[in-house]
Amino acid sequence: MDYQEITTILRDFTAQKGWGKYHNLKDLALSVNLEASEVLEVFQWKDEQTPLTNQERDHLKEEIADTLIYLFYMCDEMGLDPYQAIAEKMKVNQTRHWKEEEDQ
């Protein structure tokens, strides 16, 4: 599935549910943050070496999808191609240096 297909599915779903009135950048940004917090919840109180159970992996997959969905809604609202934005940001990142690199 490509970005245009995803966008069509998301637009159709939003229209079907009547949620368009809630899809402004502020509320979408809040929703991204809330869903990203649910990603963290999967790891709460776990040692970083402890593998996830199948149930936890499934839950994590759903929360990642929810986060991406709201990010895609934001991109659609802005008329922004997320893949192009990633490509442009990676070009910037290639020229950046972080303190942690110096410590290696």
Side-chain angles (χ1 to χ4, degrees):
M1 188 176 324
D2 67 17
Y3 177 62
Q4 288 303 323
E5 289 173 296
I6 291 170
T7 301
T8 299
I9 290 168
L10 293 176
R11 285 177 184 163
D12 290 348
F13 182 75
T14 300
Q16 175 189 0
K17 297 292 186 181
W19 291 348
K21 61 187 172 191
Y22 305 113
H23 284 201
N24 58 74
L25 287 176
K26 178 199 71 82
D27 289 332
L28 291 170
L30 288 169
S31 296
V32 167
N33 198 348
L34 292 169
E35 294 300 338
S37 293
E38 291 183 28
V39 168
L40 284 174
E41 190 175 46
V42 174
F43 298 98
Q44 186 177 25
W45 315 123
K46 289 182 82 62
D47 181 276
E48 64 186 38
Q49 302 302 319
T50 304
L52 297 176
T53 65
N54 288 339
Q55 183 180 3
E56 289 168 331
R57 289 180 64 82
D58 289 344
H59 183 200
L60 179 59
K61 183 173 116 176
E62 288 180 5
E63 299 308 338
I64 289 171
D66 285 340
T67 304
L68 287 168
I69 287 167
Y70 280 114
L71 286 168
F72 281 11
Y73 277 136
M74 287 186 78
C75 289
D76 190 41
E77 183 71 22
M78 294 176 63
L80 175 73
D81 179 334
Y83 300 122
Q84 183 63 37
I86 291 168
E88 290 171 9
K89 180 61 178 176
M90 289 307 299
K91 286 180 186 176
V92 171
N93 286 348
Q94 293 296 326
T95 65
R96 295 179 65 194
H97 300 282
W98 287 268
K99 181 186 179 317
E100 294 78 11
E101 291 174 324
E102 297 167 10
D103 295 340
Q104 294 178 359

